[in-house]
Amino acid sequence: MENTAYLFLWYFAAYVLVTLTGVLHTVFNITVLHMKSMVDSPGMGEGYERTKPWHPLYNIIIFPPFAYLYLAGLHTVTLQTAVWTGLLWGTVTIVIDVIGWVLIKHPWSLTFKEFYVDYQPWITLIYLTIYASPLIAFGVMKLF
């Protein structure tokens, strides 16, 4: 694949930005809106739970522009390149998520059930968004 370093640079930039947005939204809910934290309530806490419907939105706003930046840097942009980029980005996200949010234990880690069952439909919408982001970017490139 052409420009593999940029493929991962733009992916990781988007992933980090989405993750930071979610964390900052949770912190905002707890500190400014005075919602309960995970210490004060069951599960991840009200401050986090209230952010869940926003998670797919963060991804649909952030990932397509980063996919656009990657695709725009290629000499030739094809539908096949966009499809392969989406497959790679979505699959890498699933692997990173299972390692970083389930297998590695930390204060915000979740069980498999919490992440893949209780987090529905949000996690599915997030993954669909990431898989589709390069296709969205490709469509925008072809329109303009």
Side-chain angles (χ1 to χ4, degrees), residues 1 25 46 63 78 82 95-96 103 118 129:
M1 195 172 257
H25 188 177
E46 178 190 19
F63 267 93
T78 65
V95 171
I96 290 172
L103 297 178
D118 299 343
T129 297

Side-chain angles (χ1 to χ4, degrees), residues 6 20 31 43-44 50 53 67-69 77 84 106 125 128 131 137:
Y6 288 113
L20 286 174
T31 58
M44 294 296 289
R50 293 282 188 96
Y68 184 95
L69 290 169
V77 180
W84 281 111
H106 52 82
L125 293 172
L128 288 173
Y131 278 111

Side-chain angles (χ1 to χ4, degrees), residues 53-122:
W54 294 92
H55 295 180
L57 182 62
Y58 306 152
N59 284 272
I60 199 69
I61 290 170
I62 293 170
F63 267 93
F66 282 86
Y68 184 95
L69 290 169
Y70 167 66
L71 294 173
L74 299 177
H75 294 294
T76 306
V77 180
T78 65
L79 178 60
Q80 181 181 6
T81 302
V83 168
W84 281 111
T85 301
L87 287 171
L88 185 62
W89 282 16
T91 305
V92 167
T93 300
I94 291 170
V95 171
I96 290 172
D97 282 353
V98 76
I99 293 169
W101 296 107
V102 177
L103 297 178
I104 296 174
K105 298 305 174 198
H106 52 82
W108 286 21
S109 65
L110 301 165
T111 65
F112 279 99
K113 181 183 178 296
E114 289 169 331
F115 199 74
Y116 293 104
V117 177
D118 299 343
Y119 192 23
Q120 292 297 337
W122 315 119

Side-chain angles (χ1 to χ4, degrees), residues 39-57:
V39 173
D40 304 322
S41 60
M44 294 296 289
E46 178 190 19
Y48 168 75
E49 293 297 324
R50 293 282 188 96
T51 68
K52 283 181 176 181
W54 294 92
H55 295 180
L57 182 62

